[in-house]
Amino acid sequence: MPSVEVISRAALMLMSAAAERLGLSDDDPDNSPHRDLDEARRLITALAGLVTSSVQYLGMHAAPLRDGLKSLQQAFRESSAVPDAPGQGPGEKYTGPV
């Protein structure tokens, strides 16, 4: 299996898990039983590290993965009762402020 496929699969797994922990898999994310922002932060940070460190190998897959990551970072920021300072959100040490 090519490395780009392994990296992409890992990124998609992290994205799916983060989205679930943000409550995005439910109709009402704010009241989702799956919502756990601490876990979401960890998953988004891991995703940011993976995507940022692998971008040179991802070719045409890089842009969609970056877009998905940015969407999760923005969803986290919108979900958080106490917003992080710019550059301090999940994964922002790898991607820069969102």
Side-chain angles (χ1 to χ4, degrees):
M1 179 182 313
S3 60
V4 67
E5 194 170 323
V6 174
I7 295 166
S8 295
R9 283 185 184 190
L12 290 175
M13 187 181 336
L14 289 167
M15 279 184 182
S16 295
E20 185 173 343
R21 291 302 182 190
L22 287 170
L24 300 177
S25 60
D26 293 315
D27 292 333
D28 183 7
D30 292 333
N31 294 310
S32 171
H34 305 289
R35 188 172 178 172
D36 183 334
L37 295 182
D38 186 48
E39 287 289 311
R41 177 184 294 278
R42 295 173 190 184
L43 292 162
I44 294 168
T45 299
L47 174 62
L50 176 63
V51 171
T52 301
S53 65
S54 304
V55 73
Q56 66 182 337
Y57 309 115
L58 295 172
M60 66 181 189
H61 303 281
L65 291 175
R66 281 182 172 165
D67 291 345
L69 170 59
K70 184 175 180 179
S71 294
L72 289 169
Q73 289 173 311
Q74 290 172 334
F76 183 92
R77 189 168 290 283
E78 291 169 6
S79 297
S80 183
V82 180
D84 294 312
Q88 300 300 310
E92 290 182 0
K93 72 178 184 178
Y94 301 111
T95 64
V98 174

